[in-house]
Amino acid sequence: MNPRYLMLALLLVVGVAPLLLPPYYVTLLNYIGMYALVVLGLVLLTGVGGMTSFGQAAFVGLGAYTSAYLTTTEQLPAWLAWAGTSPWLTLLVGVVLTASVALILGALTLKLSGHYLPLGTIAWGLSLYYLFGTMESLGGHTGVGGLPSISLFGLKLDKGENIFYLIWVLLLVAIVITQNLLNSREGRAIRALKGGQVMAESMGVNTFRSKMVIFVISAVFAAISGWLYAHTQRFVNPTPFGLNMGIDYLFMALIGGVGSVWGALLGAGILTMLKQWLQDWLPHLLGNTGNYEIIVFGILIVVLMQRAPGGLWPLLTRLIPARFKVRAKAQNIDASATPLPRRQLPKHGELILEARHVTKRFGGLVANNDMSLEIRSGEILALIGPNGAGKSTMFNQLSGVDTPSSGDVLFMGQKINGLNSRQVARMGMSRTFQHVKLLGNMSVLENVAIGAHLRGKQGVLSAALHLDRREEAELLSEAKRQLERVGLGDYLYEEAGSLALGQQRILEIARALCADPCLLLLDEPAAGLRLKEKEALGILLSRLRSEGMAILLVEHDMDFVMGLVDRVVVMEFGQRIAQGLPEDVQKDPAVLEAYLGGVE
């Protein structure tokens, strides 16, 4: 459904709700708005970035307690006294403090992976929760009362129907900011975190920075929610900021759709309303009181994860008639966008890449042993060998994914041992992968645009405020040009995961070309291609060679290789056993022995 229509519908509902609903339901909507703000951060962090956090409630507490302390403490330090004069100033302090804490906690925990990351968030979430309860200046477990109400343009927002509009306006602003961010260069980098980090790093994306960005944003959203909560209740204690509430926030995200911006609002609404109804109904049905709603929620979550693992929002969007669904259109790409600046390719025959006596050991296993090769501008070099010969290991060392145990790799005359793949990509090397690495739910166009990440400069703030449109048009226009160049111009807006394997490999080449490299590393690009597709690929690679690009090709299809490349290097058991012109290598006894098991 068109986000603009959703926004207009939400604005209409928000505008009339306090006028039509009883105060009880207005209060419930206030809580839904505050909860949705926290869940929106979880959508970014967990649904988009793939990082599960149980500690968001602690960030809510930071925002709430910062404002509570500053507005109720009589003798603030002189350097901080200014902040206690208005709740709006405490919001500023709370956001800065929460962002600072998030930076520290992110640096400590975001390098963890697997189950260690959520365990880490539980650890610091509990730590902050107990900190709130043990500090006497924060009222201990008793809490802090007497918070002032928020004033806006002389109007005191001391009632639910008054603060209602502030809560929902802030939520709508957060939704717009999130959507703007996701539909940008920075957003593509963030979406690549879930299942595509190796690919993203090879395209120049600083994945740790992207993780930190969404971690801080989600913490700031939570802090704003905490500030609203504190001045709505005008009282805070540690209870709403514990691990149980952190789990509730995750439940909200799961119910609504952890990967959907609008799912945050849906999940917060369903869980909040359902909890209230169950708390009212179940005691009457069962004849006694208790936390029966927790049992019901547990059962519902299990059923939901089985029947609709993506949450309810994607399920609802599938029920919408096709004519009401949004589909990206070609005119969204500005045909008048300025072409991105191109790299000056080296002179024909100039040495581009050189490997000198490269050895790679994994414990007692020697994957590459004293490997040497070189490739020059305007040349296609094939690296071939039987399965297990060490080609992929060598490929990874040349591209910065791995580091040689000994020996040197020089690119454009500079030693790149120890440089990461992101730094190597910035120098002008781009690659594809043996096992296709695409973001299946993203469009073909957006997948290729990731390759141009290093060619853009606009940051997170520009993306969030929608000030990056000119650069975005240039990046998408470049992605479209490269897709048309490789013959996928008719698939711009298809989901990348829906393409055939051969088309996905061609898409990877388009993505690599979008980085404007002077050296292209292709890992089995012809695998899965039909004859006509291989012929088209050969024509494309020949054209790139004539333009002065250097191409290193790892391939098993000998017919494809021998009719295309200029030179061949053959590997077996991690060593080079032959090199030279294709026709000479095909006659080499060592090569025949490796491939055919011997000659008579």
Side-chain angles (χ1 to χ4, degrees):
M1 185 179 291
N2 194 317
R4 292 183 180 179
Y5 296 154
L6 282 173
M7 190 65 71
L8 289 173
L10 187 57
L11 284 171
L12 179 62
V13 171
V14 167
V16 301
L19 306 176
L20 302 178
L21 296 176
Y24 171 75
Y25 284 102
V26 172
T27 300
L28 278 183
L29 286 175
N30 285 342
Y31 281 112
I32 290 170
M34 289 184 283
Y35 294 158
L37 194 53
V38 184
V39 179
L40 189 61
L42 277 174
V43 166
L44 273 176
L45 190 63
T46 303
V48 179
M51 296 173 286
T52 303
S53 173
F54 289 91
Q56 295 308 105
F59 288 135
V60 179
L62 273 177
Y65 267 106
T66 299
S67 196
Y69 175 77
L70 291 175
T71 55
T72 60
T73 302
E74 295 182 0
Q75 296 295 328
L76 288 172
W79 61 273
L80 197 55
W82 60 273
T85 59
S86 168
W88 291 100
L89 294 176
T90 65
L91 171 62
L92 176 63
V93 175
V95 165
V96 172
L97 176 63
T98 303
S100 302
V101 172
L103 283 171
I104 295 171
L105 293 176
L108 294 174
T109 57
L110 293 184
K111 292 183 179 179
L112 300 175
S113 59
H115 58 276
Y116 295 106
L117 177 58
L119 287 175
T121 66
I122 291 173
W124 56 252
L126 286 173
S127 298
L128 288 173
Y129 167 72
Y130 284 112
L131 179 67
F132 299 146
T134 54
M135 289 185 66
E136 293 184 6
S137 59
L138 298 181
H141 286 285
T142 303
V144 180
L147 276 71
S149 58
I150 301 169
S151 295
L152 184 62
F153 303 120
L155 177 65
K156 293 189 71 174
L157 308 181
D158 55 351
K159 296 181 179 179
E161 58 269 25
N162 292 337
I163 202 170
F164 173 89
Y165 290 108
L166 177 62
I167 291 171
W168 283 86
V169 165
L170 289 176
L171 174 61
L172 291 174
V173 169
I175 288 174
V176 171
I177 286 173
T178 303
Q179 288 182 326
N180 289 346
L181 179 61
L182 291 177
N183 294 321
S184 70
R185 166 181 170 270
E186 290 283 356
R188 285 188 292 274
I190 291 168
R191 284 185 282 168
L193 294 175
K194 194 174 181 179
Q197 291 191 47
V198 173
M199 175 275 293
E201 285 280 341
S202 296
M203 295 297 111
V205 175
N206 187 335
T207 54
F208 182 75
R209 174 185 173 276
S210 295
K211 289 180 181 180
M212 190 67 80
V213 163
I214 56 176
F215 189 71
V216 171
I217 290 174
S218 67
V220 168
F221 284 173
I224 295 172
S225 177
W227 175 77
L228 289 167
Y229 174 84
H231 291 282
T232 299
Q233 294 287 98
R234 301 178 68 180
F235 170 81
V236 293
N237 71 348
T239 304
F241 314 125
L243 183 60
N244 286 342
M245 197 62 208
I247 295 173
D248 275 357
Y249 288 133
L250 271 174
F251 277 175
M252 292 176 192
L254 289 170
I255 290 170
V258 73
S260 309
V261 171
W262 292 98
L265 180 55
L266 180 65
I270 289 176
L271 188 66
T272 304
M273 299 297 289
L274 193 59
K275 180 181 286 188
Q276 292 297 319
W277 292 336
L278 290 175
Q279 286 175 346
D280 292 339
W281 295 343
L282 289 177
H284 292 294
L285 291 174
L286 300 175
N288 58 355
T289 59
N291 294 326
Y292 298 112
E293 71 276 3
I294 303 299
I295 301 172
V296 175
F297 280 140
I299 297 172
L300 289 176
I301 289 294
V302 171
V303 173
L304 181 67
M305 292 302 97
Q306 290 179 339
R307 301 297 182 181
L312 295 179
W313 183 258
L315 195 64
L316 290 176
T317 56
R318 286 199 292 269
L319 300 177
I320 298 172
R323 64 180 181 275
F324 295 119
K325 293 183 179 179
V326 176
R327 181 177 173 84
K329 298 180 180 179
Q331 56 262 34
N332 290 341
I333 298 178
D334 187 357
S336 64
T338 305
L340 294 175
R342 298 289 305 278
R343 185 189 307 273
Q344 182 66 42
L345 292 177
K347 295 180 180 179
H348 189 84
E350 184 176 333
L351 184 62
I352 299 290
L353 179 71
E354 183 179 11
R356 297 176 179 172
H357 309 292
V358 169
T359 298
K360 180 63 180 178
R361 298 182 180 87
F362 297 98
L365 173 66
V366 181
N368 293 146
N369 185 18
D370 196 32
M371 274 293 301
S372 296
L373 59 81
E374 63 180 38
I375 183 169
R376 300 180 179 273
S377 178
E379 176 185 41
I380 301 179
L381 174 69
L383 181 63
I384 67 173
N387 289 332
K391 303 185 299 298
S392 293
T393 302
M394 188 67 187
F395 204 83
N396 286 335
Q397 291 173 94
L398 297 177
S399 60
V401 173
D402 212 342
T403 303
S405 302
S406 62
D408 294 321
V409 178
L410 287 84
F411 178 51
M412 302 297 291
Q414 181 178 339
K415 183 178 175 181
I416 62 172
N417 298 41
L419 297 184
N420 58 44
S421 55
R422 187 174 67 253
Q423 294 169 309
V424 173
R426 188 176 293 278
M427 296 170 64
M429 185 189 301
S430 196
R431 65 166 294 181
T432 64
F433 296 86
Q434 180 181 7
H435 303 291
V436 175
K437 296 186 183 299
L438 301 176
L439 303 174
N441 293 328
M442 284 172 56
S443 70
V444 169
L445 182 70
E446 289 182 301
N447 268 275
V448 173
I450 292 174
H453 184 83
L454 283 174
R455 302 173 74 181
K457 297 179 181 178
Q458 297 292 337
V460 175
L461 186 60
S462 296
L465 299 179
H466 223 48
L467 301 176
D468 62 341
R469 293 302 90 188
R470 173 180 290 185
E471 180 182 272
E472 182 70 1
E474 293 172 355
L475 295 176
L476 292 179
S477 180
E478 175 68 12
K480 179 175 180 286
R481 187 177 76 85
Q482 296 300 343
L483 282 165
E484 291 172 342
R485 189 181 190 185
V486 301
L488 291 178
D490 294 333
Y491 300 90
L492 299 181
Y493 305 106
E494 302 295 329
E495 285 192 353
S498 68
L499 297 183
L501 176 60
Q503 292 173 316
Q504 291 181 359
R505 292 194 177 279
I506 298 297
L507 189 157
E508 280 206 320
I509 295 176
R511 184 181 63 203
L513 290 173
C514 214
D516 189 31
C518 59
L519 172 61
L520 195 59
L521 306 183
L522 305 179
D523 200 347
E524 299 189 22
L529 269 62
R530 295 185 291 269
L531 178 61
K532 291 294 184 183
E533 292 172 329
K534 290 179 183 179
E535 291 175 352
L537 175 60
I539 293 171
L540 171 64
L541 297 183
S542 297
R543 186 165 67 248
L544 293 174
R545 171 176 55 190
S546 66
E547 293 173 2
M549 187 174 295
I551 301 172
L552 176 61
L553 189 69
V554 172
E555 188 53 71
H556 285 294
D557 189 329
M558 291 300 101
D559 291 334
F560 177 74
V561 167
M562 296 303 177
L564 174 68
V565 304
D566 300 291
R567 290 188 302 115
V568 179
V569 172
V570 186
M571 292 181 66
E572 186 183 26
F573 300 121
Q575 295 179 302
R576 187 183 69 190
I577 61 172
Q579 68 172 334
L581 299 175
E583 55 269 23
D584 295 334
V585 167
Q586 290 181 87
K587 302 173 185 176
D588 191 298
V591 176
L592 294 174
E593 175 73 25
Y595 274 95
L596 302 178
V599 293
E600 294 182 0

